[in-house]
Amino acid sequence: MSSTAHHHQLTPPPNNNGGQLLLQPPTKLLGCLRTVGRPTSKTDPLLVAAIFTADGPTISRVDLKLLDVASGETVARMDRQGNGHFGVTGGLLCVVGDAGTAAVSVLDPATGDVTNIPAYATGDMTSSAYVFGHVPAATGDHKVLRVFTAVYDGRTIRQPCEVLTVVSGDDGEQQRWRPAPSPPVPVDTLDPRHRAVTGGVAHFLVPQRAEYDVIVSFDLAAEQWRPSLLRCPLPKAKRHCHSSSLSLVELNGCLAFVHPDYRAYAMDMWLLVDLEKGPAWVRVESLPLGKILRNKQEIMARPLMVLEDGRIVFWVRAPYNVVRVYNPRTGECEETVDFGKLTSIVGLYRGDLLGLNQY
């Protein structure tokens, strides 16, 4: 979604080389994450995937799988879940219903408890984006941000927002969606690759007509949009792909900007780090797309996590829905999961599984 940002404060990282802090040569990804990341566990998280079964144009069944991506093994599963918007926030799994009410079901895999929050949101559910996040502050709240896109008079775009605190147990029955401010510029509610949550802040990539795209951020603890727009690290003149191919991801607690350079057939990544003078982008070593993608039908890979041993996990959606693990030390890329059917990645689970049937 294009928009202009000249009416809002733009925050470039504090350097003079186009909005990025370049290390010569670019730093290793694992070393950088260990330096600036905020790991939440000594073990690798589990990947949560939603497997859809369609009956014609209608989704008739949704099964959730929790997988160890290094081995490809299914650790636990939850079959026959209701269809909707799935998310992971800390140690909870959530689904926002798509039946027009935005009621929320919360599953705690540590206990097996399921809490139904009879929350009602306003507006048309079909044009909403839902972002699930954990506030790592004193409260430790789990929250859902809803951004609803409405078009007035066929031209003016407005985006009302609502926030819900996700609670497991009896207290969840008292929760309701509450109003939140609209973003300073319109954000993309369609492409999940253009948003990511790190450290209790939801970030949205907003393509611009200007030289640099920007990132607008919502503070889940304060339930407010940050007034400053963060400039992306790469100018359009050096970007050899369409803006739809760019993505934001959370890697081991850090916000990563991912750029597939189709001219060099490489994947470039920048990590956002906090310095004394403010935020700065650190460029990490480029990865060869030819090692991750295996044929001309595969055009996009999304990094999901960096394992403790330094291997990088990628999700390659079209056309085969597979997970591949790339070893930057050896250059080898192993395919560990082949879903073989309509699948979406829900997120990463970092909690116990005591309340689930494990394999």
Side-chain angles (χ1 to χ4, degrees), residues 35-52:
T35 301
V36 304
R38 294 170 293 276
T40 57
S41 173
K42 294 182 179 180
T43 59
D44 295 322
L46 297 176
L47 178 67
V48 183
I51 317 298
F52 300 93

Side-chain angles (χ1 to χ4, degrees), residues 129-132 145-147 159 161 183-197 201-208 213-220 225 229-230 232 247-248 255:
Y130 295 89
V131 180
F132 303 81
L145 168 68
R146 176 187 180 238
V147 183
Q159 291 187 312
C161 298
V185 296
V187 299
D188 186 355
T189 58
L190 298 178
D191 193 342
R193 293 173 302 164
H194 285 177
R195 51 185 182 263
V197 180
V201 179
H203 304 278
F204 295 78
L205 175 64
V206 182
Q208 298 287 297
D213 295 329
V214 298
I215 294 171
V216 59
S217 303
F218 184 86
D219 188 320
L220 288 168
W225 294 92
L229 306 180
L230 179 67
C232 291
S247 61
L248 297 178
L255 180 67

Side-chain angles (χ1 to χ4, degrees), residues 140-160:
D141 287 339
H142 303 275
K143 295 186 178 182
V144 184
L145 168 68
R146 176 187 180 238
V147 183
F148 164 57
T149 299
V151 179
Y152 294 87
D153 301 326
R155 297 174 299 174
T156 304
I157 295 178
R158 297 183 182 179
Q159 291 187 312

Side-chain angles (χ1 to χ4, degrees), residues 6 32 58 73 85 91 100 107 194-195 212 287 292:
H6 57 276
C32 186
T58 305
E73 295 181 356
H85 304 268
L107 172 64
H194 285 177
R195 51 185 182 263
Y212 285 90
L287 303 175
I292 304 164

Side-chain angles (χ1 to χ4, degrees), residues 254-322:
C254 290
L255 180 67
F257 175 87
V258 183
H259 163 241
D261 185 342
Y262 292 120
R263 180 178 297 180
Y265 211 52
M267 177 178 290
D268 299 325
M269 283 189 284
W270 286 259
L271 300 180
L272 186 66
V273 301
D274 291 324
L275 300 180
E276 292 182 0
K277 296 181 180 180
W281 292 105
V282 176
R283 186 183 176 188
V284 298
E285 199 172 43
S286 296
L287 303 175
L289 275 177
K291 295 287 187 177
I292 304 164
L293 305 179
R294 297 186 174 177
N295 56 63
K296 293 182 178 180
Q297 291 178 293
E298 298 179 348
I299 60 174
M300 198 170 299
R302 178 182 173 89
L304 298 176
M305 70 180 91
V306 180
L307 302 178
E308 183 62 27
D309 60 8
R311 291 181 296 163
I312 307 169
V313 180
F314 289 92
W315 165 243
V316 182
R317 180 174 181 180
Y320 303 114
N321 298 302
V322 299

Side-chain angles (χ1 to χ4, degrees), residues 124-185:
D124 182 1
M125 300 302 107
T126 60
S127 58
S128 297
Y130 295 89
V131 180
F132 303 81
H134 175 235
V135 181
T139 61
D141 287 339
H142 303 275
K143 295 186 178 182
V144 184
L145 168 68
R146 176 187 180 238
V147 183
F148 164 57
T149 299
V151 179
Y152 294 87
D153 301 326
R155 297 174 299 174
T156 304
I157 295 178
R158 297 183 182 179
Q159 291 187 312
C161 298
E162 294 175 314
V163 177
L164 177 74
T165 300
V166 177
V167 180
S168 177
D170 294 339
D171 292 340
E173 297 180 0
Q174 307 302 319
Q175 298 301 314
R176 294 292 185 271
W177 292 97
R178 51 191 179 274
S182 297
V185 296

Side-chain angles (χ1 to χ4, degrees), residues 3-59:
S3 63
T4 57
H6 57 276
H7 295 300
H8 303 277
Q9 182 182 355
L10 187 63
T11 302
N15 49 71
N16 298 316
N17 48 15
Q20 67 192 41
L21 180 65
L22 287 176
L23 304 184
Q24 300 294 336
T27 186
K28 301 286 186 179
L29 178 57
L30 180 61
C32 186
L33 288 173
R34 284 176 173 169
T35 301
V36 304
R38 294 170 293 276
T40 57
S41 173
K42 294 182 179 180
T43 59
D44 295 322
L46 297 176
L47 178 67
V48 183
I51 317 298
F52 300 93
T53 300
D55 184 7
T58 305
I59 299 297

